[in-house]
Amino acid sequence: MRNLFNFIAKHYFFFLFVLLQVIAFTLIVQNHFYHRSAFVNSANFLSGSIYQSRTNIAEYFALRSINEELAARNNELMSMLPGTYLKTDRQIFTFNDTLHRKQFSYINARVINNTVQNRNNYITLDKGRLHGIKPDMGVILPNGVIGIVKEVSANFSAVLSFLHSDIQVSARHKKSNHLGTVFWEGYNYQKATMLYIPPHVELQIGDSINTSGFSHIFPQDILIGTISDFEIRRGDNFYTIEIDLDVDFNNLTYVNVVKSIYRSELIQLEESARQL
Amino acid sequence: MNLGTVKHIGRFLLLIAIQVVILNQVYLSGYLTPFIYPLFILMLPFDVKGWVLLLWAFFTGLTVDMFSDTMGMHASATVFMAFLRPFIIRLISVKADFDAGSEPRVDNNGFFWILIYTSLLIFLHHTFLFFIETFRLNEVFNIIFRSLLSSVLSIMIIMLAHLIMGKPSRHRRS
């Protein structure tokens, strides 16, 4: 026993190295598999408030482009108002809409930290539990999928960016309605990859790829991007499609967090169906 | 608390601040980020105790992790680099012992010694970091390519920091 202690004391440098590596890897694995990093991530108060004050300063320099972006989005919304459509039908009738019920509502949040250069990227938002954000909510823009909320604190939330190896989005080719999976392969934050569209579907460069809505996280028919290249790789029986993402991930300012109203009901139903 | 500890804590805060506020926002050609925070470990004195070296490395890495949402990855890579530091110093040095308390600096060891010392350790640090970040063996060549490019950036920035910190007063006094 004494010899053992002597041995450890003599080579303590090596043993301390191993111990610290074990701690570090425990942290990595825990964070990766259980997504439980409530203590040390950018949603914690110290780093959250540092990032917020940095964003407050940096935002002044981006005001012009934010204004332009907001004006463009305003125009888009204005053009959807009922008043902008010419009424061709002069008959007046009212109807009580029981067919349509609201399925999604949105929370507006500001991006206070964001990366695109890593293989696994994260985004921090300035809204948290107090504003109604919960883990597993989707984050979108009108022209793209941004990510999924991973962790929330009282005032901030940490989001797994779409540019993360754990994220796969169920998507469909808009023209043919065929389903596939979209994910990010790394390196270029403007490109994504789509798999599992069968070879009999006719594809064209420039076709749009939208969300399918099957995950109950993102609404249906949100644009993800357009096809820039496709091929059938040797041995595969599906297309490998390269997509130009419509969102510029390097230039995120405001995003919408999606609150899916029927999500828990849908998931409960699907779970119980699977158990039969 | 002696003067040396204060100096190290000040240097620690400065380097972490530069890393988190400025360099973490840089990504050349989409995915290259320079890292300056390993300079803190590189500049600890030659006669620093082994456990002090490793614990500082772990703490530095963990602080950077906290700000980049990479839990444990920087900590692991920095501890790895700190572990190799004594071997690298022994490998590339001609004289075996250094003055008590002296640090690896351009005016103590010469520009080329510092350059080789920095390059070796930074490349090992970056390769290790990108390997655990990706955690896949089938992307080996991409990882090595990426660590090479990132290392060049980091080494340039660290050497620049060395040159800025070098004491110019020596020439003026003579």
Side-chain angles (χ1 to χ4, degrees), chain A residues 27 30-31 34-47 129 135 150-154 156-158, chain B residues 66 69 71:
Chain A
L27 286 172
Q30 261 192 354
N31 194 47
Y34 305 106
H35 294 170
R36 288 271 151 261
S37 55
F39 174 55
V40 200
N41 64 13
S42 73
N44 89 33
F45 186 72
L46 175 70
S47 50
R129 200 184 306 117
K150 171 187 158 195
E151 200 78 46
V152 289
S153 64
F156 302 103
S157 45
Chain B
M66 212 170 92
D69 267 322
M71 251 358 274

Side-chain angles (χ1 to χ4, degrees), chain A residues 74-81 84-85:
Chain A
N74 251 345
N75 284 343
E76 210 173 291
L77 290 175
M78 296 263 273
S79 68
M80 292 188 324
L81 283 178
T84 57
Y85 292 97

Side-chain angles (χ1 to χ4, degrees), chain B residues 1-13:
Chain B
M1 245 212 294
N2 58 13
L3 200 66
T5 321
V6 176
K7 186 175 76 180
H8 283 135
I9 290 174
R11 194 183 284 162
F12 175 79
L13 292 177

